[in-house]
Amino acid sequence: MKTSEQRFIDIIGSSGSSGSSGSSGGAEADVATLLAALRDWLASLDAALTAGLIEAGGLQPGSALAQRIAALHQALAQQHQQREAQWLALAPARALAQRFEGKLMVLVFGKFNAGKSSLCNFLAERFRQHGQAVQYFHLQGGQLLASDEAFHEGATETTARLQGVCLGDGLVLLDTPGLHSATDDNAALTQRFLDSADAVLWLTSSTSPGQVQELDELARELRRGKPLLPVVTRSDVIDEDEVDGQIVKCLRNKSDANRADQEADVGHRAADKLQALGVAAAQLKPAVSVSAYVARSTGADAEAMAGAGFERLYAALLELLAPALAYRARKPAEVLLHHLQEEVEAPLVNQTMPALTALRQQVQEELDSLPARQARLVQQAWREVMPQLADLLEAHAGVAEVANVAAVAATLRAALQQAAAQHAQACLDSHILPTLESALDLPADLGYDSAPTDGLPAAYEKLYETLGAAVQDSLQRVAGDLAERCAARLQALDQALQHKQKIILDGQRRLGQIASLLRGLHAGASQLREPAQEV
């Protein structure tokens, strides 16, 4: 009876076996349809966002509203530039996936010093012992270079570049700089090539297994639908033995009970963390424990391999094949989907939507303040004009002729127009206002109360009241017209902002639908297409 190791190597050793399970003609057609739907989504979203441009017409360029609208447009432009740059930055990962098309790509993932290079080297040795081809490579200057040397193993982090090894005709292991690497470049390199992998081995040392800070990155991979297999490495302990009468220290496998406890702890903590992050726990596979050192040092025969945990590891890898191959079949669409989710949808939802909400709040505050601004305009212009009226009437009271009353009215009208314009601009300072025409509605028989007699000037108490009422009416009318104009402008702006929010929310909903279809590869291309204007 074949061991799990032999069965796994036999399957991987034939590219036909691993490739034929990856996708059928129907699945390929579904993926192509989904790819087209994703591209249509982006084109429709871009067109809708462009058509829904927020206009700041009628607002003063230096006003807070106009500046925030300009900042919104600038942020959207920057988002577009950043997503284009990010897509270009992913070119090496896409090229890597194309270079190994037809092979299953497994990312060996974990913090530095988790034993990634050691595990890769040991698996390569086992494949070679079973007569399978083994080819190491590394990425340098954007090019994949073959190498005859195994990965360097050491007590400190040694992976400073992406490297890998091809096992047989159907498997590629990618060994990357540790996720929590001491250098930002190493961590960035790991992230950049995550998309090319079909499955992930999460290596965590038994000295401190399941570090919770790593689980956030695992959640990201789980959201991408990739299967993840936790592997507790260095599952061994220092023990003492007698050799030729001497007590020597040696490494032995941890007990089955100890391993079971660690595996359960890693599994439980990972599941709890993923649940808190809203990720389907089904993507997380049961943890297994191994010791490459013990397997090597004890001859790597069947008993040693089983004792070191590798028979269980190969069994777990066999279980990993089906979901990994399913992911590989839809990987082109997954890569594009992740790009759209992370570089298009996320900035719109996390940055643009709050900015739009804040803008709408500011617009509403401006609308709410209009009645008070309108009243202040009337009050301040009234206080400026009315003292002038008394002086005017006094100046022309010596002769109570119609011509003199007309002169009073003309001077008053000019003063009224100047005061209204000045205080309108001060009270409605966010808006570009039209040229004001302040009309005074005066009765045809307007005149002083009485003619001057016995050297006394004409009385004008009633005339003062009549002109004062006309000034008040004129200011109320002008201020009301201006407030109505500003309100209409602000309401149109709010509608435009609301429409922009709807574009984003509709786009988010639509992308979620496509993502759900991609996860299940549901049949029926008609479900994938909706009118472009929906976004």
Side-chain angles (χ1 to χ4, degrees):
M1 182 177 177
K2 288 185 177 181
T3 63
S4 295
E5 178 186 41
Q6 186 63 62
R7 290 168 54 212
F8 181 76
I9 291 178
D10 286 348
I11 292 174
I12 295 301
S14 170
S15 60
S17 297
S18 90
S20 62
S21 303
S23 62
S24 64
E28 290 177 354
D30 286 340
V31 170
T33 303
L34 286 160
L35 276 169
L38 289 169
R39 295 187 183 105
D40 288 348
W41 177 87
L42 180 60
S44 297
L45 180 67
D46 280 342
L49 288 173
T50 300
L53 187 69
I54 306 299
E55 297 289 349
L59 294 174
Q60 292 287 355
S63 67
L65 274 176
Q67 289 180 346
R68 292 189 76 163
I69 292 172
L72 175 67
H73 292 158
Q74 183 178 6
L76 286 171
Q78 289 176 346
Q79 288 176 19
H80 191 279
Q81 293 171 357
Q82 289 171 359
R83 88 183 188 211
E84 294 295 327
Q86 182 63 21
W87 185 248
L88 291 175
L90 289 173
R94 294 195 298 274
L96 182 65
Q98 293 173 359
R99 167 70 174 76
F100 295 114
E101 187 175 3
K103 300 181 185 295
L104 195 65
M105 300 184 68
V106 177
L107 183 69
V108 184
F109 182 88
K111 63 181 291 187
F112 64 90
N113 297 332
K116 300 185 298 295
S117 297
S118 299
L119 180 64
C120 289
N121 284 339
F122 184 72
L123 293 178
E125 292 169 11
R126 298 302 299 170
F127 266 73
R128 188 177 279 124
Q129 288 176 14
H130 283 80
Q132 297 294 329
V134 172
Q135 179 61 65
Y136 287 92
F137 64 88
H138 62 269
L139 186 72
Q140 182 174 321
Q143 300 295 320
L144 289 175
L145 303 179
S147 173
D148 295 329
E149 297 181 359
F151 301 152
H152 180 71
E153 302 175 28
T156 59
E157 180 183 10
T158 55
T159 308
R161 61 190 179 187
L162 184 133
Q163 55 189 7
V165 57
C166 297
L167 304 179
D169 293 327
L171 179 63
V172 177
L173 299 180
L174 295 175
D175 178 23
T176 68
L179 173 63
H180 297 285
S181 170
T183 65
D184 291 340
D185 289 343
N186 284 356
L189 187 60
T190 298
Q191 292 292 350
R192 185 176 299 170
F193 282 89
L194 288 178
D195 271 336
S196 64
D198 305 308
V200 178
L201 299 185
W202 172 39
L203 271 57
T204 178
S205 174
S206 67
T207 57
S208 56
Q211 292 296 305
V212 68
Q213 63 268 25
E214 297 180 37
L215 300 183
D216 289 322
E217 296 300 329
L218 291 179
R220 181 183 180 189
E221 289 310 295
L222 284 176
R223 290 193 184 100
R224 295 179 170 192
K226 298 179 185 180
L228 278 90
L229 173 62
V231 180
V232 181
T233 58
R234 298 174 179 171
S235 184
D236 41 47
V237 293
I238 298 176
D239 199 1
E240 293 184 345
D241 198 359
E242 183 177 347
V243 178
D244 298 331
Q246 300 292 324
I247 300 298
V248 296
K249 292 183 177 181
C250 59
L251 281 177
R252 297 190 185 280
N253 292 312
K254 286 189 174 182
S255 68
D256 290 344
N258 188 295
R259 285 179 171 177
D261 287 343
Q262 286 198 326
E263 291 166 4
D265 179 62
V266 169
H268 289 154
R269 288 201 287 152
D272 289 345
K273 179 66 173 178
L274 296 177
Q275 183 179 12
L277 294 171
V279 175
Q283 297 300 131
L284 187 65
K285 306 305 177 184
V288 295
S289 301
V290 297
S291 173
Y293 180 88
V294 173
R296 275 176 175 157
S297 62
T298 54
D301 57 19
E303 182 179 356
M305 290 289 288
F310 279 91
E311 187 65 10
R312 290 183 62 224
L313 174 63
Y314 280 114
L317 290 174
L318 284 169
E319 293 294 325
L320 200 69
L321 282 177
L325 290 171
Y327 179 86
R328 189 183 71 180
R330 65 179 191 269
K331 180 160 57 178
E334 289 279 4
V335 170
L336 180 55
L337 172 64
H338 306 153
H339 172 71
L340 296 178
Q341 287 175 328
E342 295 165 13
E343 303 300 330
V344 180
E345 179 188 37
L348 287 173
V349 172
N350 299 329
Q351 300 171 24
T352 306
M353 282 295 286
L356 289 169
T357 300
L359 252 175
R360 291 192 67 192
Q361 179 63 33
Q362 188 172 354
V363 168
Q364 187 59 51
E365 291 172 358
E366 186 82 10
L367 274 168
D368 293 341
S369 72
L370 281 179
R373 292 170 181 266
Q374 177 182 346
R376 188 164 67 251
L377 191 166
V378 172
Q379 181 184 60
Q380 291 177 352
W382 166 267
R383 288 177 177 176
E384 181 174 332
V385 171
M386 289 309 291
Q388 300 179 48
L389 177 57
D391 293 340
L392 279 172
L393 291 174
E394 186 68 28
H396 292 279
V399 180
E401 296 178 357
V402 176
N404 291 331
V405 174
V408 170
T411 304
L412 182 61
R413 185 176 291 107
L416 176 61
Q417 186 161 332
Q418 180 180 353
Q422 176 184 344
H423 291 290
Q425 197 59 65
C427 294
L428 302 170
D429 54 342
S430 296
H431 301 266
I432 297 174
L433 303 177
T435 301
L436 300 182
E437 294 184 3
S438 301
L440 279 173
D441 293 332
L442 302 174
D445 59 348
L446 184 68
Y448 279 81
D449 299 356
S450 64
T453 58
D454 300 329
L456 296 176
Y460 54 80
E461 286 80 3
K462 291 183 180 180
L463 177 59
Y464 180 89
E465 291 178 3
T466 301
L467 291 173
V471 168
Q472 183 76 14
D473 290 344
S474 178
L475 287 174
Q476 291 284 8
R477 186 167 53 253
V478 168
D481 289 345
L482 289 176
E484 185 177 345
R485 183 189 296 264
C486 293
R489 182 179 297 152
L490 291 170
Q491 288 164 354
L493 176 57
D494 183 67
Q495 290 175 359
L497 293 169
Q498 185 178 18
H499 178 62
K500 182 80 81 174
Q501 287 179 318
K502 184 178 184 300
I503 290 171
I504 295 173
L505 291 174
D506 286 349
Q508 183 183 27
R509 175 189 59 80
R510 180 67 187 132
L511 190 61
Q513 290 176 342
I514 299 175
S516 296
L517 292 172
L518 178 57
R519 292 291 180 262
L521 282 179
H522 294 164
S526 61
Q527 300 180 62
L528 300 177
R529 300 196 178 272
E530 294 182 7
Q533 59 266 29
E534 170 120 18
V535 244

